[in-house]
């Protein structure tokens, strides 16, 4: 297994290189540069050009790329023009918010998805199962930004149950107040994410359990005299959760990515929001590192999923 | 070949005498008759499509998009306060520039539907060609295609699309559609390849190869008909996905260019908290229409999917 993992990690290196070159070229093609917005009539064009020269913006592309790569290998991913800080610091500043939001979303997703999937599978064709199927269908079809807007409108503005924007209240003074305020701000966006995030969990669990119910190992267990409750919790659930385990790598990775739509609609200052801001301010260094980071996470997600699947299901050999 | 066909026809006619299995279009009709919600979705969908396309061509886009500051943010059913539009009643109110929301809704829906459909058809076409080629030739071709698909899959799709949208010079509807196609064909190709691989292993394909049938004929006349029902199902489900993606991007401001309103453009008014909270008539109809459209299209797609797979049929 270790051999496989090491091989896969080595295979990731060329992929990351291609990805970085691609995104670097794209970022370079963007119209305007970080100084375009600063142009004011008092500033001499020659001075502006000198600033561009000083930041190396006028160098040819390969030169810029190699310079960037050299620095990146030493842990220096460039500076954000907009924030006047190292890119890593800017991203790290937002990462906490995104991780908190994603963590709560993931927990809620499983809290909704697992019981509904298990019950729908166990009592299939019941009213509960039919209701879950309708919910499952709707959660598959509905675009997240539409649901998020409706949620903000109904629960944030009209009913005033939840704060509609931001990640913390300005009135929070003590540490405890801050934590509670943060949690309160997280609730609505994470509930929205969780409502739409359960689709594959419910679908897989339900169909796997329905299939397992008539399988030989379940019949054996029943004829041995294993109580039906135990058959479900010990025998069927373990097998039925395998497909979910195969997606768990991406779930872990999604801790860091967050959602552009959710963060935009809830004005939640995480990674997705940072990306949109950087696009609007042409902050290339941030855009570039963010896109590369997301691509890297995608690769890690695939690898993790395979590793987890191998770990939980000894029958599977991936090479 | 001829004798083969005759024998096949004989077998089929014999079957018909005893009990003919339901085929083709009949199965679909039966599926919709058994599932009243699917029938309702289909009728609603046809009604919406009909209204949007006929009405949006009747109304004058220039009139709808004329700015009239007197009429800014009129609530639904209000009369126009602009002397130029005297006597006009705004059924769904107006936006900041005094434009008729109902008119914008029709034009936006038309643009979103057309763009979604174009993207879906083109990505499916590319997916079918690439998928079948990869499955038929297998080996090196398949390997190269799959590595490319794998690479596109790991790209942060939404981000890359946004980056592309901001860098494309003379950005217009066609380039936007092109960008969406560029980053969406791979899912189709992967799906079609998977199905075509199964079909390609069947005996009749090997027999056909031994008989010396040209590859192009095998792919077009023998492999494709066998996955055609899946292609139709996939087309429907992807249509809903494309509409979701386009309206989402337009909502973020990286979708259809200004001057080509989309449903997402109308929803994006809700970025302003004041409009979101107090002027719901501006963005709520468009959001509702998106919701109804994707739900109906998906539901119809599910019914088609059941019709295509005998094991899942209701009727």
């Amino acid at each position: 297994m270790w051999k496989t993992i090491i091989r896969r990690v080595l295979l990731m290196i060329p992929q990351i290189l291609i990805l970085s070159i691609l995104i670097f070229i794209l970022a370079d093609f963007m119209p305007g540069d970080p100084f375009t917005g600063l142009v004011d009539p008092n500033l001499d064009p020659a001075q502006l050009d000198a600033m561009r020269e000083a930041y190396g913006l006028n160098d040819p592309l390969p030169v810029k790329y190699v310079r960037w790569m050299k620095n990146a290998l030493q842990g220096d991913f460039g500076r954000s023009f907009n924030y006047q800080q190292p890119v890593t610091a800017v991203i790290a500043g937002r990462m906490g918010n995104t991780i908190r939001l994603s963590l709560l979303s993931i927990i809620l997703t499983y809290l909704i998805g697992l019981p509904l999937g298990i019950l729908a599978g166990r009592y299939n064709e019941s009213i509960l199962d039919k209701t879950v199927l309708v919910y499952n269908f709707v959660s598959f079809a509905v675009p997240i930004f539409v649901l998020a807007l409706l949620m903000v409108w109904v629960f944030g503005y009209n009913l005033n149950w939840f704060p509609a924007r931001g990640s913390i209240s300005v009135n929070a003074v003590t540490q405890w107040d801050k934590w509670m305020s943060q949690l309160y701000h997280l609730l609505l966006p994470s509930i929205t994410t969780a409502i739409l995030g359960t689709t594959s969990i419910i679908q897989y669990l339900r169909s796997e359990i329905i299939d397992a119910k008539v399988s030989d190992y379940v019949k054996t267990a029943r004829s041995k005299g294993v109580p039906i409750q135990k058959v479900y919790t010990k025998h069927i659930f373990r097998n039925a959760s395998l497909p979910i385990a195969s997606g768990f790598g991406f779930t872990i990775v999604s801790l860091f990515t967050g959602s552009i739509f959710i963060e935009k609609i809830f004005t939640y200052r995480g990674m997705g929001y940072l990306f949109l801001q950087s696009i609007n301010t042409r902050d290339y260094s941030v855009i570039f590192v963010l896109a590369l980071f997301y691509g890297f996470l995608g690769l890690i997600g695939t690898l993790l999923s395979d590793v987890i699947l191998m770990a939980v299901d000894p029958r599977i050999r991936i090479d | 070949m001829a004798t083969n066909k005759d024998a096949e026809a004989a077998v089929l006619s014999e079957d018909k005498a005893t009990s003919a299995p339901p085929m083709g279009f009949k199965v679909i009709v039966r599926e919709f008759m058994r599932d009243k919600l699917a029938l309702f979705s289909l009728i609603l969908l046809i009604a919406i499509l009909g209204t949007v396309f006929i009405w949006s061509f009747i109304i004058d886009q220039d009139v709808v998009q004329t700015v009239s500051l007197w009429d800014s943010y009129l609530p639904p059913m209000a009369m126009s306060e602009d002397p130029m539009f005297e006597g006009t009643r705004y059924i769904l109110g107006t936006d900041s520039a005094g434009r008729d929301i109902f008119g914008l809704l029709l034009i936006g829906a038309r643009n979103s539907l057309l763009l979604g459909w174009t993207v879906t058809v083109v990505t499916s076409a590319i997916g079918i060609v690439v998928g079948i080629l990869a499955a038929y030739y297998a080996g090196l071709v398949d390997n190269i295609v799959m590595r490319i698909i794998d690479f596109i899959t790991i790209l942060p799709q939404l981000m890359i699309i946004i980056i592309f949208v901001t860098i494309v010079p003379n950005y217009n509807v066609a380039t936007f559609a092109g960008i969406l196609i560029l980053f969406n064909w791979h899912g189709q190709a992967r799906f079609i390849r998977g199905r075509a691989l199964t079909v390609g292993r069947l005996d009749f394909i090997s027999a056909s190869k031994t008989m010396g049938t040209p590859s192009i004929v095998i792919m077009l006349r023998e492999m494709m008909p066998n996955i055609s029902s899946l292609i139709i199902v996939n087309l429907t489900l992807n249509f809903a996905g494309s509409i979701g993606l386009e309206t989402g991007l337009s909502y973020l401001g990286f979708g259809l260019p200004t001057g080509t309103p989309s449903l997402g453009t109308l929803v994006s008014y809700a970025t302003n908290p004041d409009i979101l909270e107090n002027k719901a008539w501006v963005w709520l109809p468009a959001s509702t229409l998106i919701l109804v459209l994707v739900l109906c299209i998906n539901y119809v797609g599910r019914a088609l999917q059941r019709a295509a797979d005998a094991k899942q049929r209701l009727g």
Side-chain angles (χ1 to χ4, degrees), chain A residues 30-313:
Chain A
M30 290 192 144
D33 63 42
F35 296 121
T36 317
L38 298 177
V39 178
D40 82 70
N42 302 322
L43 202 64
D44 184 13
Q47 206 178 338
L48 206 65
D49 221 45
M51 276 164 80
R52 289 204 177 101
E53 195 68 50
Y55 277 100
L57 290 175
N58 290 338
D59 290 345
L61 189 64
V63 175
K64 280 196 272 190
Y65 180 75
V66 170
R67 182 171 56 217
W68 187 89
M69 215 49 196
K70 242 187 226 161
N71 291 334
L73 289 174
Q74 292 161 2
D76 174 13
F77 288 88
R79 286 177 71 83
S80 154
F81 287 102
N82 194 27
Y83 296 92
Q84 290 300 327
Q85 271 179 11
V87 175
T88 35
V90 175
I91 292 179
R94 299 299 184 89
M95 186 104 74
N97 275 342
T98 289
I99 292 178
R100 271 191 290 275
L101 177 58
S102 312
L103 188 64
L104 192 61
S105 309
I106 293 170
I107 293 173
L108 288 177
T109 308
Y110 280 93
L111 275 182
I112 302 172
L114 289 181
L116 286 186
I118 292 170
L119 289 173
R122 180 162 177 182
Y123 305 107
N124 69 317
E125 303 291 307
S126 68
I127 303 223
L128 176 90
D129 179 38
K130 284 183 179 137
T131 324
V132 171
L133 274 184
V134 172
Y135 160 60
N136 194 232
F137 165 74
V138 172
S139 73
F140 169 79
V142 172
I144 192 159
F145 74 102
V146 176
L147 181 76
L149 269 179
L150 292 176
M151 296 284 277
V152 175
W153 184 57
V154 174
F155 298 107
Y157 285 107
N158 285 340
L159 296 175
N160 264 319
W161 288 0
F162 299 99
R165 47 200 291 129
S167 54
I168 191 164
S169 152
V170 283
N171 298 325
V173 189
T174 64
Q175 193 57 45
W176 175 253
D177 277 356
K178 279 182 186 159
W179 280 335
M180 282 298 112
S181 166
Q182 276 180 337
L183 184 66
Y184 193 37
H185 280 80
L186 286 178
L187 281 175
L188 197 54
S190 53
I191 290 171
T192 312
T193 316
I195 287 177
L196 294 189
T198 56
T199 318
S200 59
I201 298 179
I202 292 181
Q203 206 173 357
Y204 281 132
L205 256 189
R206 179 180 172 276
S207 57
E208 287 284 319
I209 289 178
I210 292 173
D211 286 348
K213 273 202 282 198
V214 290
S215 64
D216 289 341
Y217 75 89
V218 170
K219 282 183 200 147
T220 316
R222 283 295 288 151
S223 51
K224 276 196 306 192
V226 182
I228 192 137
Q229 187 60 39
K230 242 191 173 149
V231 174
Y232 272 103
T233 52
K234 294 265 172 186
H235 300 235
I236 294 182
F237 181 68
R238 283 202 175 178
N239 278 303
S241 54
L242 285 180
I244 297 178
S246 72
F248 204 67
F250 293 105
T251 310
I252 297 174
V253 163
S254 76
L255 268 178
F256 305 98
T257 53
S259 157
I260 290 180
F261 285 116
I262 289 285
E263 291 186 0
K264 154 113 175 159
I265 290 171
F266 291 90
T267 338
Y268 188 84
R269 286 169 193 286
M271 309 269 284
Y273 200 78
L274 177 66
F275 176 74
L276 287 178
Q277 275 182 323
S278 312
I279 284 276
N280 289 332
T281 53
R282 307 272 174 245
D283 204 343
Y284 305 123
S285 33
V286 178
I287 297 170
F288 176 65
V289 175
L290 271 180
L292 197 57
F293 181 59
Y294 277 42
F296 175 68
L297 285 176
L299 283 171
I300 296 279
T302 332
L303 179 65
L304 272 180
S305 289
D306 288 350
V307 172
I308 291 173
L309 198 59
M310 275 196 287
V312 294
D313 191 348

Side-chain angles (χ1 to χ4, degrees), chain B residues 68-75 81 94-99 281:
Chain B
S68 126
L69 292 176
W70 276 287
D71 289 346
S72 187
Y73 291 128
L74 289 180
E81 283 158 23
T94 57
D95 72 351
S96 58
R99 289 171 293 202
W281 68 83

Side-chain angles (χ1 to χ4, degrees), chain B residues 197-219:
Chain B
L197 269 182
T198 339
V199 176
R201 282 201 206 96
L202 295 179
D203 288 341
F204 78 97
I205 299 283
S206 324
S208 204
K209 278 185 194 166
T210 346
M211 281 163 63
T213 319
S215 298
I216 183 89
V217 176
I218 297 183
M219 282 185 262

